[in-house]
Amino acid sequence: MYDMVISQAQVVNEGCIQVLDVAIQGERIAAIAPDLSQAACKQTLDAQGRYLLPGMIDDQVHFREPGLTHKGDMATESAAAVRGGITSFMEMPNVNPLTINAQALEDKYQRAQGRAHANYAFYLGASNDNLEQIKSLDPKTACGIKVFMGASTGNMLVDDPRVLEEIFAHAPTLVVTHCEDTPSIHALEAEYRAKYGEDVPMAYHAKIRSEEACWKSSSFAVDLARKQGTQLHVLHLTTARELALFTAGPIANKQITAEACVHHLFFNEEDYATLGALIKCNPSIKTAADQAALLQAVVEDRIDVIATDHAPHTWEEKQHTYFKAPSGLPLVEHALPSLFEHYHAGRLSLEKIVQKTSHAVAERFQVQARGYLREGYFADLVLVDLNANSPITHENCHYKCAWTPFAGQTFQSRIEATWVNGQLAWSQTQGLAPAQGQRLQFLR
Ligand code: DOR
């Protein structure tokens, strides 16, 4: 007897879309077939032709716990995530205290247990002096090792070339990098400060956090990974120029992979005029030509993964002038709907969106039994209505910081329901269920 059958959904999975029934038993997908209407089950949900996808696995979020919980916390931000169809998240180490040793890492898993609405894993952060922690990391206990090769929120810059060389040589698991060259950025900051004082117009963020700064750092990371044989995943690419560093094609067997984030695919330089600091983030949102190149790179599989870099800051913090306004935007609730806008515009297929937000992430991070709709895999599912106008406002978003860079947009799609480990985590009709996220397991 199945616990539930979701019937007649347009299932988007493994490169195709088919009308299918999906049966759930306990935490797992028990059957996928064209017609399970004769099967015994406790509950049926008629999808009425809406789309059923494997949940998004977001490999880059900042949920601000411990130490920065006035901006967000694991409970609030993971609740917003399941509303957005994200069923697993991988969380970053730039909190307070920094997640730079095994103890701080374990503390985060403890905090997530019973409070995370989606499944979770945490990065071990690199610093200029925690090489021994990195070397002794058990690869099953962290999704990866995060290296800030450019300074951003939190003080985590690793800028000692000898240390970087050692990290890349000895990392026991995937290294993920934030690539921006900090000295180049500091020089440009000084230049713009001399010209405009403290109140630099926000649009110059694209010039200060420059294409050259990105190129310098990404090309250095890629060279180092080639030299040391490192498994490298470069986070949030923002420029057309950097894309030449990566190869197009299937993710299987790639040693070096690339990522784009939803806001860099959605916004461009022209949006600073209306959104100002609300879209200030690192690396910066750049030109319309860069945005178009990123989208093209997704299509041709040069970009392997799409993530959010969900990084909430309070509304008050974002009201400051250029140098004081922190970088980062809240995104998890609107990430998939923003990608469906590219689908509606004919820029990305649904299959491609699922590949980049779920299949490829599971592959790259060796996530056990998630990322696909397959019998025996965890039932992490999202039901989507692709024809439901959804006006986005600050008032109807669910981040602790209570604002969204998408306010004023009307998305053409909305998430109807999200299941995590076979349980309804949230739905339009039933609201939010108690937290039931589990720790992600890695096949390493
Ligand atoms: O814009 C950003 N915000 N980029 C980062 O790398 C960090 C993040 C944050 O934590 O606020």
Side-chain angles (χ1 to χ4, degrees):
M1 164 100 72
Y2 299 132
D3 291 328
M4 187 165 80
V5 172
I6 303 170
S7 65
Q8 298 305 287
Q10 306 218 48
V11 172
V12 188
N13 189 42
E14 310 210 35
C16 51
I17 303 178
Q18 290 168 278
V19 177
L20 293 168
D21 291 355
V22 176
I24 300 172
Q25 187 153 23
E27 298 176 337
R28 308 264 179 162
I29 296 171
I32 306 175
D35 184 6
L36 293 170
S37 61
Q38 301 307 312
C41 68
K42 294 181 191 154
Q43 201 191 342
T44 311
L45 178 93
D46 183 357
Q48 295 174 328
R50 287 170 298 181
Y51 290 79
L52 191 69
L53 285 50
M56 179 167 177
I57 304 174
D58 189 351
D59 77 11
Q60 193 186 174
V61 303
H62 301 264
F63 282 177
R64 306 306 193 197
E65 196 174 331
L68 302 168
T69 51
H70 65 291
K71 297 174 194 275
D73 64 54
M74 287 195 205
T76 59
E77 305 314 278
S78 67
V82 294
R83 289 172 181 274
I86 291 170
T87 52
S88 297
F89 63 86
M90 301 183 192
E91 209 267 349
M92 288 293 166
N94 55 336
V95 284
N96 188 10
L98 302 171
T99 320
I100 51 175
N101 56 50
Q103 196 187 346
L105 189 60
E106 192 45 42
D107 172 63
K108 279 191 162 180
Y109 283 104
Q110 303 274 331
R111 287 168 181 275
Q113 199 178 4
R115 291 175 59 232
H117 290 264
N119 306 308
Y120 48 86
F122 299 96
Y123 288 94
L124 178 69
S127 71
N128 274 327
D129 50 21
N130 74 338
L131 192 60
E132 290 314 311
Q133 290 289 334
I134 291 172
K135 284 184 178 171
S136 63
L137 175 73
D138 173 354
K140 286 186 186 294
T141 63
C143 38
I145 294 158
K146 169 71 183 283
V147 187
F148 279 91
M149 291 175 66
S152 192
T153 306
N155 200 9
M156 292 202 76
L157 177 65
V158 185
D159 59 355
D160 181 334
R162 284 165 309 176
V163 172
L164 284 169
E165 187 105 25
E166 288 286 307
I167 293 171
F168 276 57
H170 298 291
T173 190
L174 188 66
V175 171
V176 308
T177 54
H178 176 131
C179 287
E180 286 184 295
D181 181 62
T182 298
S184 312
I185 293 166
H186 283 164
L188 286 160
E189 281 178 348
E191 217 176 274
Y192 278 81
R193 189 179 251 124
K195 208 162 170 191
Y196 296 99
E198 286 306 300
D199 206 1
V200 174
M202 227 37 96
Y204 291 130
H205 192 51
K207 303 281 177 272
I208 292 170
R209 292 254 168 186
S210 67
E211 179 197 72
E212 179 63 23
C214 292
W215 167 260
K216 229 173 154 173
S217 179
S218 310
S219 53
F220 178 48
V222 168
D223 284 349
L224 207 50
R226 285 215 185 97
K227 181 173 160 200
Q228 299 292 356
T230 319
Q231 285 293 329
L232 173 68
H233 181 63
V234 182
L235 302 165
H236 46 40
L237 290 167
T238 57
T239 66
R241 188 174 170 199
E242 291 166 287
L243 295 170
L245 296 165
F246 303 91
T247 44
I251 192 166
N253 305 321
K254 276 188 186 177
Q255 180 207 332
I256 299 171
T257 49
E259 175 172 305
C261 285
V262 292
H263 46 311
H264 298 115
L265 297 172
F266 193 87
F267 297 111
N268 64 52
E269 204 172 33
E270 285 153 32
D271 295 304
Y272 290 108
T274 47
L275 293 169
L278 297 187
I279 57 162
K280 183 185 185 222
C281 57
N282 304 334
S284 61
I285 287 163
K286 299 201 174 55
T287 67
D290 290 310
Q291 177 193 21
L294 291 173
L295 280 160
Q296 181 53 31
V298 170
V299 171
E300 65 190 29
D301 294 335
R302 195 176 293 280
I303 296 278
D304 301 288
V305 164
I306 300 177
T308 66
D309 196 10
H310 173 84
H313 296 284
T314 67
W315 180 261
E316 291 69 32
E317 289 164 339
K318 281 291 201 180
Q319 302 316 301
H320 290 300
T321 50
Y322 179 74
F323 291 104
K324 280 206 186 132
S327 288
L329 11 161
L331 290 156
V332 282
E333 188 174 356
H334 305 105
L336 278 175
S338 83
L339 293 174
F340 297 140
E341 291 301 292
H342 297 298
Y343 160 73
H344 282 296
R347 292 186 285 262
L348 296 178
S349 69
L350 293 176
E351 295 93 319
K352 187 62 71 181
I353 292 169
V354 167
Q355 180 195 342
K356 301 296 166 188
T357 56
S358 195
H359 305 331
V361 199
E363 295 295 335
R364 188 56 174 132
F365 288 82
Q366 300 162 286
V367 178
Q368 186 176 27
R370 303 186 193 274
Y372 294 92
L373 301 189
R374 287 180 183 160
E375 290 174 9
Y377 272 47
F378 286 95
D380 293 344
L381 314 170
V382 192
L383 188 66
V384 180
D385 187 340
L386 284 174
N387 296 296
N389 273 355
S390 309
I392 310 299
T393 65
H394 296 314
E395 290 71 29
N396 70 14
C397 73
H398 294 85
Y399 308 119
K400 195 182 228 181
C401 67
W403 65 271
T404 163
F406 297 111
Q409 306 277 345
T410 297
F411 287 148
Q412 294 168 69
S413 315
R414 68 173 195 178
I415 309 296
E416 292 291 313
T418 304
W419 290 262
V420 174
N421 303 314
Q423 302 291 312
L424 191 66
W426 171 82
S427 75
Q428 288 284 355
T429 52
Q430 296 186 44
L432 189 67
Q436 53 219 335
Q438 292 181 12
R439 182 174 177 149
L440 292 175
Q441 304 295 326
F442 299 100
L443 293 164
R444 299 172 177 161

